[in-house]
Each structure stands twice: as C-alpha cells, then as structure tokens.
Amino acid sequence: MNEKEWTVHARHGDELAFNQLVSLHKRKLYSIAYSYLRNEADALEALQDSVCKAWLKKATLKDRDAFLPWITRILINGCIDELKRKQRVLPQSHAAYEGTHEMMSIYRMDLEIALARLKPKYRHVLTLKYYHDMTLPDIAKILDRPEGTIKTWLHQALKQVRKQINKGGEQYYGASGKLPASRN
C-alpha cells in the first residue's frame, strides 16, 4: 500500500494504516514539535497528544494527499497551546530557555530573541521553511492560507529578523559591526 491508500483506510478506522502513516512521518513531526517546545519530553508528549487527537478526528481529513499538512497543523496547535500554558506557569525569562543546557553563541541567541519577538504567523513560516525545509505550497497547506499570503509573511518575517539582528548587533559590536578589541 502507498501513502494515499493508507490515508483512505485510516479515515475509515484502520488502525494499522493510521500507524503506518504516523510512522512514516514521525521524525518530521517530532522535529517540528521540538522546534516549538525546545524540550525532548515536551515534544514527545505533544506528538503523542497530536496523534491521539488526529485519530479521534480522522474522519475530518478530506484530502487523501494532505495527511502530513493535516496532522502537522494539529501538532502545531498543540504546541502553541502548551507554550501558552507554560507562559502562565513560568516567568517568560525562564520559559524561553528551559531545557537548554548547552552554551549558545551570541549569534544564535540573537536569532532566538529575534524569532521570539515575531508575530506567531511569521515565526511559524520561518520555522517551517528554514528549520524543517518545507516548501511554500506545503506551508500554505499546513497554515491553511493562500501561497501568496505565505510569501508575504516570509518576506515580512525575514525583514523583521534582519532588523532585530542588526539592532542587536549594534549592542554587542557597535555601529561599525566589528568586535571590540580584547581587554586582556
């Protein structure tokens, strides 16, 4: 059986077909969850919850070619809900970097801060495009928006990230963009 046939069978309650579809896309789904939640345990829990929700809503999947965008949308919504829940529980300064025990370069921190300041719609487009190598048509399916809108959001997001990073860079490096001389 191929993916389209599995989708048809899964819509009609075939657990094996549904499990095949989830197994086929599990790595991509996990990486999406992890990119939102930044914590392995939270990402696995979000993935598990999303698979359960998808199973319960399997009859709502209309297009047999759209299983991945459909379940990805369910997963992203679950991740957003979890992030909102965590914001109510944890102070913002701790929530953003929970579970990150490794050293981050200044450039990576600048990028993370710039992404955190974006509107969610822009952040979603950048995350899916550059962290998960999705095409604009795939992103449009996942976010349920026209491809032209996704292109506009991508353009606006990149413009805002560049502005934020350039502004942040002046804080570290001055207007010249060069690193200050070492004071040893």
Side-chain angles (χ1 to χ4, degrees):
M1 251 193 275
N2 64 29
E3 187 174 351
K4 290 178 185 180
E5 292 170 337
W6 287 336
T7 302
V8 170
H9 288 280
R11 282 186 58 220
H12 296 343
D14 184 345
E15 268 187 77
L16 184 59
F18 185 81
N19 288 335
Q20 288 290 346
L21 287 166
V22 171
S23 292
L24 182 65
H25 299 294
K26 67 183 175 189
R27 288 184 191 269
K28 183 175 223 74
L29 293 169
Y30 169 77
S31 68
I32 290 169
Y34 188 85
S35 70
Y36 277 86
L37 301 172
R38 300 281 184 216
N39 179 300
E40 182 179 356
D42 291 344
L44 289 170
E45 186 174 339
L47 181 55
Q48 183 178 358
D49 289 346
S50 298
V51 168
C52 288
K53 286 178 186 172
W55 174 253
L56 294 173
K57 297 179 178 186
K58 63 189 173 290
T60 66
L61 176 59
K62 305 275 188 259
D63 184 1
R64 65 182 185 174
D65 294 330
F67 178 79
L68 183 60
W70 174 75
I71 197 167
T72 301
R73 185 76 235 151
I74 293 170
L75 177 65
I76 290 172
N77 287 337
C79 290
I80 291 168
D81 290 345
E82 178 64 16
L83 288 171
K84 287 177 183 175
R85 188 190 66 74
K86 279 187 166 193
Q87 278 184 332
R88 289 191 299 260
V89 175
L90 296 173
Q92 178 63 27
S93 61
H94 292 87
Y97 296 105
E98 180 192 289
T100 307
H101 299 293
E102 61 196 43
M103 294 288 291
M104 291 176 62
S105 73
I106 292 172
Y107 302 114
R108 175 91 178 167
M109 287 174 48
D110 283 347
L111 180 59
E112 294 293 329
I113 291 167
L115 284 173
R117 290 180 177 163
L118 288 176
K119 290 181 179 179
K121 62 184 181 183
Y122 297 155
R123 192 174 334 115
H124 297 317
V125 172
L126 286 179
T127 300
L128 295 172
K129 173 82 173 136
Y130 294 108
Y131 283 79
H132 302 291
D133 295 325
M134 290 190 177
T135 64
L136 293 177
D138 288 342
I139 296 169
K141 272 186 186 177
I142 289 169
L143 298 180
D144 195 26
R145 297 286 188 263
E147 192 174 337
T149 300
I150 299 302
K151 287 179 183 179
T152 301
W153 288 359
L154 178 63
H155 175 73
Q156 290 298 318
L158 290 172
K159 191 165 121 180
Q160 289 181 21
V161 166
R162 281 187 202 106
K163 184 178 174 182
Q164 286 292 326
I165 289 178
N166 288 338
K167 186 172 124 183
E170 289 179 12
Q171 293 173 350
Y172 298 118
Y173 314 113
S176 69
K178 296 181 182 176
L179 287 170
S182 177
R183 296 181 187 170
N184 291 342

mmCIF file of all heavy atoms in Angstrom, residues 115-138:
data_model
loop_
_atom_site.group_PDB
_atom_site.id
_atom_site.type_symbol
_atom_site.label_atom_id
_atom_site.label_comp_id
_atom_site.label_asym_id
_atom_site.label_seq_id
_atom_site.Cartn_x
_atom_site.Cartn_y
_atom_site.Cartn_z
ATOM 1 N N LEU A 115 13.420 35.776 16.742
ATOM 2 C CA LEU A 115 12.280 34.910 16.420
ATOM 3 C C LEU A 115 11.190 35.020 17.484
ATOM 4 O O LEU A 115 10.004 35.034 17.168
ATOM 5 C CB LEU A 115 12.726 33.451 16.285
ATOM 6 C CG LEU A 115 13.465 33.090 15.004
ATOM 7 C CD1 LEU A 115 13.995 31.663 15.083
ATOM 8 C CD2 LEU A 115 12.590 33.260 13.790
ATOM 9 N N ALA A 116 11.594 35.097 18.738
ATOM 10 C CA ALA A 116 10.616 35.190 19.826
ATOM 11 C C ALA A 116 9.811 36.489 19.758
ATOM 12 O O ALA A 116 8.670 36.535 20.213
ATOM 13 C CB ALA A 116 11.323 35.084 21.174
ATOM 14 N N ARG A 117 10.394 37.523 19.178
ATOM 15 C CA ARG A 117 9.709 38.815 19.087
ATOM 16 C C ARG A 117 8.774 38.922 17.888
ATOM 17 O O ARG A 117 8.010 39.884 17.790
ATOM 18 C CB ARG A 117 10.738 39.938 19.020
ATOM 19 C CG ARG A 117 11.473 40.126 20.327
ATOM 20 C CD ARG A 117 12.473 41.239 20.237
ATOM 21 N NE ARG A 117 13.117 41.433 21.518
ATOM 22 C CZ ARG A 117 14.247 42.094 21.680
ATOM 23 N NH1 ARG A 117 14.852 42.638 20.637
ATOM 24 N NH2 ARG A 117 14.773 42.212 22.877
ATOM 25 N N LEU A 118 8.831 37.962 16.988
ATOM 26 C CA LEU A 118 7.975 37.996 15.802
ATOM 27 C C LEU A 118 6.540 37.637 16.157
ATOM 28 O O LEU A 118 6.283 36.925 17.119
ATOM 29 C CB LEU A 118 8.465 36.980 14.770
ATOM 30 C CG LEU A 118 9.747 37.275 14.028
ATOM 31 C CD1 LEU A 118 10.099 36.098 13.123
ATOM 32 C CD2 LEU A 118 9.634 38.541 13.209
ATOM 33 N N LYS A 119 5.619 38.108 15.319
ATOM 34 C CA LYS A 119 4.233 37.649 15.434
ATOM 35 C C LYS A 119 4.235 36.146 15.175
ATOM 36 O O LYS A 119 5.024 35.655 14.366
ATOM 37 C CB LYS A 119 3.349 38.346 14.393
ATOM 38 C CG LYS A 119 3.120 39.803 14.657
ATOM 39 C CD LYS A 119 2.209 40.375 13.589
ATOM 40 C CE LYS A 119 1.948 41.852 13.845
ATOM 41 N NZ LYS A 119 1.081 42.421 12.803
ATOM 42 N N PRO A 120 3.337 35.414 15.832
ATOM 43 C CA PRO A 120 3.319 33.957 15.643
ATOM 44 C C PRO A 120 3.224 33.509 14.185
ATOM 45 O O PRO A 120 3.890 32.560 13.794
ATOM 46 C CB PRO A 120 2.091 33.510 16.440
ATOM 47 C CG PRO A 120 1.945 34.551 17.492
ATOM 48 C CD PRO A 120 2.386 35.843 16.849
ATOM 49 N N LYS A 121 2.424 34.195 13.375
ATOM 50 C CA LYS A 121 2.278 33.766 11.978
ATOM 51 C C LYS A 121 3.612 33.846 11.243
ATOM 52 O O LYS A 121 3.933 32.976 10.440
ATOM 53 C CB LYS A 121 1.206 34.575 11.262
ATOM 54 C CG LYS A 121 1.485 36.065 11.150
ATOM 55 C CD LYS A 121 0.315 36.803 10.516
ATOM 56 C CE LYS A 121 0.594 38.281 10.368
ATOM 57 N NZ LYS A 121 -0.574 38.981 9.829
ATOM 58 N N TYR A 122 4.410 34.874 11.521
ATOM 59 C CA TYR A 122 5.724 34.995 10.891
ATOM 60 C C TYR A 122 6.682 33.931 11.416
ATOM 61 O O TYR A 122 7.459 33.340 10.664
ATOM 62 C CB TYR A 122 6.315 36.379 11.125
ATOM 63 C CG TYR A 122 5.526 37.520 10.515
ATOM 64 C CD1 TYR A 122 5.614 38.793 11.042
ATOM 65 C CD2 TYR A 122 4.695 37.334 9.420
ATOM 66 C CE1 TYR A 122 4.903 39.861 10.494
ATOM 67 C CE2 TYR A 122 3.986 38.384 8.863
ATOM 68 C CZ TYR A 122 4.093 39.645 9.400
ATOM 69 O OH TYR A 122 3.403 40.692 8.859
ATOM 70 N N ARG A 123 6.635 33.688 12.725
ATOM 71 C CA ARG A 123 7.506 32.687 13.347
ATOM 72 C C ARG A 123 7.202 31.298 12.780
ATOM 73 O O ARG A 123 8.108 30.522 12.498
ATOM 74 C CB ARG A 123 7.327 32.702 14.863
ATOM 75 C CG ARG A 123 8.367 31.913 15.595
ATOM 76 C CD ARG A 123 8.277 32.033 17.115
ATOM 77 N NE ARG A 123 7.672 33.257 17.579
ATOM 78 C CZ ARG A 123 6.500 33.310 18.249
ATOM 79 N NH1 ARG A 123 5.840 32.218 18.532
ATOM 80 N NH2 ARG A 123 6.007 34.462 18.649
ATOM 81 N N HIS A 124 5.921 30.985 12.586
ATOM 82 C CA HIS A 124 5.540 29.685 12.031
ATOM 83 C C HIS A 124 6.136 29.500 10.640
ATOM 84 O O HIS A 124 6.697 28.445 10.335
ATOM 85 C CB HIS A 124 4.023 29.539 11.933
ATOM 86 C CG HIS A 124 3.316 29.567 13.246
ATOM 87 N ND1 HIS A 124 3.749 28.907 14.357
ATOM 88 C CD2 HIS A 124 2.177 30.193 13.614
ATOM 89 C CE1 HIS A 124 2.914 29.120 15.357
ATOM 90 N NE2 HIS A 124 1.956 29.909 14.939
ATOM 91 N N VAL A 125 6.013 30.521 9.815
ATOM 92 C CA VAL A 125 6.515 30.418 8.439
ATOM 93 C C VAL A 125 8.027 30.214 8.437
ATOM 94 O O VAL A 125 8.537 29.328 7.746
ATOM 95 C CB VAL A 125 6.124 31.666 7.603
ATOM 96 C CG1 VAL A 125 6.810 31.651 6.260
ATOM 97 C CG2 VAL A 125 4.616 31.728 7.423
ATOM 98 N N LEU A 126 8.758 31.002 9.223
ATOM 99 C CA LEU A 126 10.216 30.852 9.267
ATOM 100 C C LEU A 126 10.628 29.492 9.814
ATOM 101 O O LEU A 126 11.548 28.859 9.294
ATOM 102 C CB LEU A 126 10.856 31.959 10.116
ATOM 103 C CG LEU A 126 10.909 33.339 9.496
ATOM 104 C CD1 LEU A 126 11.551 34.330 10.458
ATOM 105 C CD2 LEU A 126 11.673 33.325 8.186
ATOM 106 N N THR A 127 9.959 29.053 10.851
ATOM 107 C CA THR A 127 10.294 27.756 11.449
ATOM 108 C C THR A 127 10.080 26.628 10.459
ATOM 109 O O THR A 127 10.956 25.771 10.282
ATOM 110 C CB THR A 127 9.437 27.515 12.712
ATOM 111 O OG1 THR A 127 9.697 28.554 13.653
ATOM 112 C CG2 THR A 127 9.761 26.177 13.345
ATOM 113 N N LEU A 128 8.937 26.624 9.800
ATOM 114 C CA LEU A 128 8.647 25.554 8.852
ATOM 115 C C LEU A 128 9.554 25.623 7.625
ATOM 116 O O LEU A 128 10.005 24.590 7.123
ATOM 117 C CB LEU A 128 7.178 25.592 8.437
ATOM 118 C CG LEU A 128 6.185 25.296 9.568
ATOM 119 C CD1 LEU A 128 4.761 25.545 9.100
ATOM 120 C CD2 LEU A 128 6.344 23.879 10.086
ATOM 121 N N LYS A 129 9.847 26.812 7.158
ATOM 122 C CA LYS A 129 10.672 26.980 5.956
ATOM 123 C C LYS A 129 12.145 26.651 6.215
ATOM 124 O O LYS A 129 12.751 25.874 5.482
ATOM 125 C CB LYS A 129 10.537 28.418 5.443
ATOM 126 C CG LYS A 129 11.460 28.779 4.298
ATOM 127 C CD LYS A 129 10.918 28.315 2.995
ATOM 128 C CE LYS A 129 11.787 28.837 1.853
ATOM 129 N NZ LYS A 129 12.032 27.813 0.876
ATOM 130 N N TYR A 130 12.724 27.238 7.254
ATOM 131 C CA TYR A 130 14.169 27.131 7.429
ATOM 132 C C TYR A 130 14.614 26.075 8.426
ATOM 133 O O TYR A 130 15.729 25.577 8.325
ATOM 134 C CB TYR A 130 14.746 28.501 7.804
ATOM 135 C CG TYR A 130 14.590 29.476 6.665
ATOM 136 C CD1 TYR A 130 13.674 30.515 6.735
ATOM 137 C CD2 TYR A 130 15.312 29.319 5.496
ATOM 138 C CE1 TYR A 130 13.505 31.394 5.677
ATOM 139 C CE2 TYR A 130 15.148 30.186 4.431
ATOM 140 C CZ TYR A 130 14.248 31.224 4.525
ATOM 141 O OH TYR A 130 14.081 32.077 3.474
ATOM 142 N N TYR A 131 13.785 25.714 9.366
ATOM 143 C CA TYR A 131 14.162 24.665 10.303
ATOM 144 C C TYR A 131 13.723 23.291 9.807
ATOM 145 O O TYR A 131 14.268 22.278 10.203
ATOM 146 C CB TYR A 131 13.556 24.913 11.689
ATOM 147 C CG TYR A 131 14.265 25.978 12.486
ATOM 148 C CD1 TYR A 131 14.046 27.328 12.240
ATOM 149 C CD2 TYR A 131 15.143 25.635 13.498
ATOM 150 C CE1 TYR A 131 14.686 28.301 12.971
ATOM 151 C CE2 TYR A 131 15.793 26.613 14.247
ATOM 152 C CZ TYR A 131 15.557 27.943 13.972
ATOM 153 O OH TYR A 131 16.202 28.903 14.701
ATOM 154 N N HIS A 132 12.679 23.258 8.948
ATOM 155 C CA HIS A 132 12.138 21.978 8.501
ATOM 156 C C HIS A 132 12.134 21.826 6.992
ATOM 157 O O HIS A 132 11.533 20.882 6.476
ATOM 158 C CB HIS A 132 10.728 21.783 9.065
ATOM 159 C CG HIS A 132 10.731 21.846 10.552
ATOM 160 N ND1 HIS A 132 11.304 20.889 11.340
ATOM 161 C CD2 HIS A 132 10.295 22.796 11.399
ATOM 162 C CE1 HIS A 132 11.191 21.219 12.614
ATOM 163 N NE2 HIS A 132 10.594 22.385 12.671
ATOM 164 N N ASP A 133 12.752 22.748 6.275
ATOM 165 C CA ASP A 133 12.915 22.679 4.817
ATOM 166 C C ASP A 133 11.617 22.404 4.065
ATOM 167 O O ASP A 133 11.592 21.649 3.101
ATOM 168 C CB ASP A 133 13.944 21.605 4.438
ATOM 169 C CG ASP A 133 15.330 21.942 4.931
ATOM 170 O OD1 ASP A 133 15.673 23.139 4.941
ATOM 171 O OD2 ASP A 133 16.065 21.008 5.313
ATOM 172 N N MET A 134 10.541 23.013 4.507
ATOM 173 C CA MET A 134 9.271 22.841 3.807
ATOM 174 C C MET A 134 9.156 23.860 2.682
ATOM 175 O O MET A 134 9.700 24.957 2.773
ATOM 176 C CB MET A 134 8.098 22.995 4.771
ATOM 177 C CG MET A 134 7.981 21.867 5.745
ATOM 178 S SD MET A 134 6.429 21.997 6.632
ATOM 179 C CE MET A 134 6.517 20.531 7.610
ATOM 180 N N THR A 135 8.431 23.481 1.659
ATOM 181 C CA THR A 135 8.208 24.390 0.549
ATOM 182 C C THR A 135 7.066 25.346 0.893
ATOM 183 O O THR A 135 6.262 25.069 1.787
ATOM 184 C CB THR A 135 7.832 23.608 -0.722
ATOM 185 O OG1 THR A 135 6.593 22.944 -0.497
ATOM 186 C CG2 THR A 135 8.922 22.611 -1.100
ATOM 187 N N LEU A 136 6.973 26.437 0.163
ATOM 188 C CA LEU A 136 5.901 27.397 0.407
ATOM 189 C C LEU A 136 4.514 26.784 0.176
ATOM 190 O O LEU A 136 3.603 27.037 0.972
ATOM 191 C CB LEU A 136 6.112 28.657 -0.440
ATOM 192 C CG LEU A 136 7.343 29.490 -0.055
ATOM 193 C CD1 LEU A 136 7.505 30.674 -1.000
ATOM 194 C CD2 LEU A 136 7.274 29.956 1.375
ATOM 195 N N PRO A 137 4.312 25.963 -0.868
ATOM 196 C CA PRO A 137 2.989 25.326 -1.011
ATOM 197 C C PRO A 137 2.641 24.419 0.178
ATOM 198 O O PRO A 137 1.495 24.389 0.620
ATOM 199 C CB PRO A 137 3.117 24.511 -2.310
ATOM 200 C CG PRO A 137 4.180 25.207 -3.090
ATOM 201 C CD PRO A 137 5.144 25.737 -2.067
ATOM 202 N N ASP A 138 3.645 23.702 0.710
ATOM 203 C CA ASP A 138 3.390 22.846 1.874
ATOM 204 C C ASP A 138 3.031 23.688 3.094
ATOM 205 O O ASP A 138 2.115 23.345 3.852
ATOM 206 C CB ASP A 138 4.611 21.984 2.199
ATOM 207 C CG ASP A 138 4.838 20.883 1.183
ATOM 208 O OD1 ASP A 138 3.899 20.566 0.425
ATOM 209 O OD2 ASP A 138 5.959 20.344 1.144
#
